Amino acid sequence: MFPWTNAPWQYLTARIQQQQIPHAILIAGPAGVGKLHFARAFAQVLICENPARIGQACGQCRACGQFIAHTHPDYIFIGPEDDSQVIKIDQIRHLREVLTLARHGRRHRVVVVNPAEAMTTAAANSLLKTLEEPPAQTLLVLVTHQPSVLPATLRSRCQRLNIPLPSVETACEWLIHQPSIPTVNPAQCRLALLMNEGAPLRSMEWLAQGMDTRHAQALEAFYAIAQGKLSPLAVAAQWLKTDTVVPLSWPYRWLSELIRIKSGQFPQTGDLQQQAILHKLAQQVDLDELFTLQTRITAILRAQGVALNQQLLYESVLSRWSQLTQPLHA
């Protein structure tokens, strides 16, 4: 488990000890905090035939072996199928049919729905019928980072567990000890967390993929535009290449950092070289212009998924950035 999930985990293990396991749980929290991992770990505890102790699966019994191999018949995972983005009503109807059958093991049956917000309205309404008449010794776990999207009737029939973002210090300490990123330092951790909304699992993947190096290169290009050394069109074309794509959320974060500096605050990134670039830029740009450009990027980010010309969007943002930084290369 993760250090920031200790409190909700202790709550659930106490419910096991008290033999008061709910029939439905809603696990909510930001993307990248390990909600699905948490749900799976608890499912294994309930399915394990010989728990080592309260709240800990043995990992050795036949049930644990099947669970780890994703073949245990009493663990059911429901998510979007194939290339679909939604969980369809037919999937929930099939689930309801399965739940009428006897359990295979002596312990609980666990159903995990992830992401729960992907259910269509019809699917959610169908699942509601199961929640209204839950089968014995069956736990339904809904995993979501958008709980408000779910129908209130569905939410009201689940016990809610929130998994919050950890503190920067806790997340950095955890990241430093991950084997997939063995050479990471605190400054890199803080930057990764900043660029991933504080989500430790997303930050770990970001670092493991070498995105910190790509980010530094992108910021250098952003600075080069301000100096007049690179054209916005050239940078836009480079950023949109398949192997080096730069999300517009990065310039958004840079503008946020510049706004912090212009407002008399310290930048959140711990990288000294990047701090130096940001401080140089902050001396030459107008605060109101920064807000205006950030608002434009916000509108683009909200429109993601709509058929828009990405090349033109990048060119528009970077051209505007070039214009508002003209004093740097006048």
Side-chain angles (χ1 to χ4, degrees):
M1 294 305 298
F2 309 112
W4 56 89
T5 61
N6 286 342
W9 187 261
Q10 289 171 4
Y11 169 79
L12 286 181
T13 54
R15 298 302 298 270
I16 294 175
Q17 196 163 19
Q18 297 160 5
Q19 297 185 342
Q20 295 179 344
I21 301 171
H23 69 271
I25 298 173
L26 175 65
I27 300 179
V33 293
K35 299 184 298 297
L36 182 56
H37 182 98
F38 182 95
R40 278 187 50 83
F42 188 62
Q44 185 176 354
V45 169
L46 294 182
I47 288 172
C48 173
E49 296 170 350
N50 303 299
R53 62 173 185 267
I54 296 296
Q56 183 176 339
C58 73
Q60 304 296 323
C61 67
R62 181 171 178 270
C64 279
Q66 289 180 308
F67 183 89
I68 293 168
H70 305 283
T71 59
H72 199 292
D74 285 339
Y75 175 72
I76 304 168
F77 179 82
I78 303 292
E81 295 179 330
D82 301 322
D83 295 330
S84 176
Q85 299 296 314
V86 299
I87 296 172
K88 302 173 183 176
I89 187 172
D90 287 346
Q91 294 174 259
I92 302 302
R93 284 174 175 164
H94 177 68
L95 169 66
R96 294 183 63 199
E97 291 175 3
V98 172
L99 294 182
T100 63
L101 305 175
R103 299 189 312 280
H104 290 75
R106 297 180 289 108
R107 304 267 288 162
H108 265 70
R109 175 164 46 196
V110 183
V111 179
V112 173
V113 181
N114 176 72
E117 68 272 13
M119 286 188 291
T120 64
T121 300
N125 290 335
S126 182
L127 185 64
L128 181 61
K129 296 176 183 178
T130 298
L131 291 176
E132 289 171 342
E133 299 178 4
Q137 279 191 272
T138 296
L139 172 65
L140 278 80
V141 183
L142 308 185
V143 182
T144 179
H145 63 272
Q146 294 180 300
S148 61
V149 174
L150 298 175
T153 49
L154 208 62
R155 284 181 277 136
S156 66
R157 285 167 172 78
C158 302
Q159 287 200 14
R160 179 163 170 169
L161 278 180
N162 292 318
I163 298 186
L165 289 171
S167 67
V168 172
E169 292 73 20
T170 297
C172 278
E173 178 67 19
W174 180 79
L175 284 168
I176 284 173
H177 291 92
Q178 296 312 299
S180 62
I181 43 174
T183 60
V184 72
N185 60 51
Q188 289 172 296
C189 290
R190 288 181 176 273
L191 174 63
L193 290 165
L194 173 66
M195 302 307 293
N196 291 281
E197 291 77 40
L201 271 67
R202 289 170 59 187
S203 298
M204 178 181 67
E205 183 179 359
W206 197 80
L207 289 166
Q209 294 176 346
M211 296 299 285
D212 53 328
T213 300
R214 189 175 300 176
H215 173 269
Q217 294 168 346
L219 181 57
E220 289 283 356
F222 198 62
Y223 182 41
I225 291 175
Q227 294 177 302
K229 295 180 179 179
L230 287 177
S231 76
L233 302 186
V235 173
Q238 178 63 38
W239 282 7
L240 283 168
K241 287 185 177 179
T242 304
D243 58 339
T244 57
V245 64
V246 173
L248 273 178
S249 58
W250 289 6
Y252 179 91
R253 292 293 177 190
W254 300 333
L255 295 177
S256 295
E257 291 287 82
L258 291 174
I259 290 169
R260 287 178 63 85
I261 295 170
K262 296 287 287 186
S263 302
Q265 303 176 60
F266 288 106
Q268 292 179 316
T269 175
D271 185 276
L272 296 179
Q273 184 175 357
Q274 293 182 25
Q275 281 187 16
I277 291 175
L278 292 168
H279 276 287
K280 288 178 183 178
L281 289 172
Q283 294 173 8
Q284 301 293 335
V285 292
D286 180 75
L287 183 60
D288 289 339
E289 291 283 4
L290 290 173
F291 277 118
T292 299
L293 182 54
Q294 192 177 54
T295 299
R296 179 182 296 188
I297 295 177
T298 299
I300 294 172
L301 292 174
R302 286 178 178 171
Q304 284 184 343
V306 179
L308 299 172
N309 188 313
Q310 295 297 313
Q311 179 84 20
L312 292 178
L313 293 176
Y314 274 65
E315 290 176 359
S316 170
V317 168
L318 293 178
S319 294
R320 184 64 192 130
W321 168 247
S322 178
Q323 292 169 9
L324 71 91
T325 55
Q326 280 184 359
L328 277 174
H329 51 85

